[in-house]
Amino acid sequence: MTRRIRDVMSSDTASVEPMTSVARAARLMRERDVGDVLVAYDCDLFGLLTDRDIVLRAVAEGHDPEAMTVGSLCTRPPLVTLTPEDTTEHAVELMRQYAVRRLPVVERGGCPVGVVSLGDLAAVEDPHSALADISRAAPTH
């Protein structure tokens, strides 16, 4: 059954501006219990920052997360994105092609409205898979 991205995406996403400190973005991820934040200025998607980006490209390289900005660290355009009208099958194809686990969802004109993750797709496309079970599990702290 083909589903639209609007039916499976997380629309309650965290977002920061490019000049936000990496430390502030990390605290926001912790507060919201998410692994990524959209980097946007007004209604323009500037990039995507993941917890992995913070660890590998800031902390592991000895950068000061209080001084480093999200805009200097995030994955920047051209980003692979989806629209709410795209299909989940298209999302799977893009994730496979670009080897990514999350895709920003944008309205026409590039305004970010959500994120769809590999876990979101697994829960819909293969609800009995181990990844779907893990994605539905409550977080442990």
Side-chain angles (χ1 to χ4, degrees):
M1 176 180 187
T2 300
R3 292 204 167 109
R4 300 286 171 200
I5 292 301
R6 73 172 167 272
D7 299 326
V8 299
M9 72 181 197
S10 299
S11 57
D12 184 28
T13 57
S15 181
V16 296
E17 292 186 347
M19 294 309 294
T20 304
S21 74
V22 170
R24 173 66 191 118
R27 288 190 294 273
L28 180 60
M29 287 180 193
R30 182 187 61 208
E31 291 164 12
R32 302 283 298 274
D33 195 30
V34 295
D36 61 87
V37 293
L38 295 173
V39 181
Y41 188 75
D42 289 331
C43 200
D44 290 324
L45 181 62
F46 183 84
L48 177 72
L49 181 73
T50 67
D51 46 7
R52 188 172 196 272
D53 293 330
I54 293 171
V55 171
L56 297 180
R57 294 172 34 204
V59 175
E61 292 185 12
H63 297 290
D64 178 359
E66 290 291 347
M68 187 175 214
T69 65
V70 168
S72 67
L73 184 64
C74 68
T75 302
R76 298 184 51 188
L79 292 174
V80 180
T81 62
L82 295 165
T83 70
E85 300 307 312
D86 282 322
T87 65
T88 55
E89 292 158 346
H90 182 60
V92 169
E93 290 171 15
L94 289 174
M95 286 181 177
R96 189 175 287 132
Q97 179 181 352
Y98 292 97
V100 295
R101 295 177 178 95
R102 298 173 181 93
L103 291 169
V105 181
V106 297
E107 293 278 349
R108 292 192 183 158
C111 187
V113 295
V115 172
V116 68
S117 71
L118 184 58
D120 296 330
L121 295 175
V124 171
E125 298 294 319
D126 191 5
H128 302 294
S129 69
L131 181 56
D133 289 344
I134 293 166
S135 297
R136 286 190 295 267
T140 57
H141 297 277

